Amino acid sequence: PDLKPAARAGVQMAVDPISGKLVPLAEMEQHMRISLLDPRWKEQKKQQAERLTESSNVAAGAEIGASLKRFAERRSDIFGDDDEV
């Protein structure tokens, strides 16, 4: 059938009352402790990730292509002439 690996191995599982996820019974105490440490942790982590993506110096895909095209037009000694293709 469609059982998870832990269920096939005979590991007892329990449902986390907060998230609804299945957690091995032996790990439930640690799982609950971590889940209850700081309820705002997920929100803070999400906000931090958003700040990093907003202030990133990494160019988007289209910007990279346009930049390479301009560079190739100026540097025919590296990329060759369009006529040679």
Side-chain angles (χ1 to χ4, degrees):
D2 191 24
L3 296 176
K4 297 186 183 218
R8 277 188 255 131
V11 175
Q12 291 183 333
M13 304 293 279
V15 177
D16 176 10
I18 297 172
S19 68
K21 294 181 181 178
L22 282 177
V23 179
L25 193 57
E27 299 172 13
M28 181 58 91
E29 182 179 345
Q30 180 181 3
H31 176 80
M32 292 298 294
R33 182 181 60 80
I34 292 172
S35 296
L36 296 173
L37 279 177
D38 186 358
R40 294 173 292 164
W41 180 81
K42 282 185 181 181
E43 182 65 30
Q44 292 169 349
K45 193 77 168 170
K46 181 181 173 184
Q47 288 173 353
Q48 181 183 15
E50 288 174 358
R51 280 194 301 266
L52 285 175
T53 56
E54 289 173 359
S55 64
S56 175
N57 291 334
V58 179
E63 294 172 20
I64 294 171
S67 179
L68 283 173
K69 182 178 179 183
R70 287 190 309 272
F71 182 67
E73 289 170 354
R74 288 186 296 216
R75 296 297 307 262
S76 60
D77 59 317
I78 297 174
F79 293 97
D81 294 329
D82 287 339
D83 299 337
E84 295 178 5
V85 178

